[in-house]
Amino acid sequence: MADSLALTEATYYILLSLVSPRHGYGIMQLTEELSGGRVRLAAGTLYGALNALCAKGWIIQLPAEDDSRRKEYKLTATGLKVLNKEVARLRELADNGEKILRGE
């Protein structure tokens, strides 16, 4: 796990959306909603990212139902640790920015 590596905004929202199991289209919708429309994932970008996140062990693909082509993904314990570290990193950035802007 990369301790000091900042996540891209897209990766952050993908991980955040997978706290609960979700399929690709659901990930795209929630990412766009959470980012206020700022982050829009194209299918190719999303599935490339999902494959990379699976390879890192941050998410897993859930077993598909026999009659379904839809792939669902879920955050792993390692992925949750990465996400929590990123939230803490972002909080520190925001806190430092606010302190400086307040003249502290």
Side-chain angles (χ1 to χ4, degrees):
M1 177 169 46
D3 288 340
S4 61
L5 213 52
L7 300 179
T8 65
E9 196 170 7
T11 298
Y12 173 75
Y13 280 116
I14 291 168
L15 293 178
L16 196 59
S17 70
L18 291 175
V19 169
S20 297
R22 206 172 300 292
H23 56 81
Y25 185 66
I27 295 167
M28 289 191 292
Q29 287 180 310
L30 187 56
T31 295
E32 188 171 343
E33 178 186 326
L34 291 173
S35 69
R38 204 176 50 259
V39 179
R40 291 189 175 136
L41 299 169
T45 302
L46 173 64
Y47 287 102
L50 291 173
N51 289 333
L53 294 171
C54 282
K56 289 180 179 184
W58 295 0
I59 66 171
I60 57 169
Q61 183 180 332
L62 298 174
E65 294 178 17
D66 292 337
D67 59 346
S68 177
R69 290 181 39 214
R70 186 185 338 204
K71 296 178 184 177
E72 283 198 320
Y73 298 86
K74 175 179 125 169
L75 201 60
T76 64
T78 301
L80 183 59
K81 287 179 187 175
V82 169
L83 185 56
N84 277 310
K85 284 186 177 207
E86 181 67 359
V87 169
R89 187 188 74 81
L90 293 171
R91 185 174 288 120
E92 180 183 350
L93 287 174
D95 288 347
N96 287 335
E98 289 172 355
K99 284 177 189 174
I100 295 296
L101 291 172
R102 285 193 308 259
E104 293 180 19

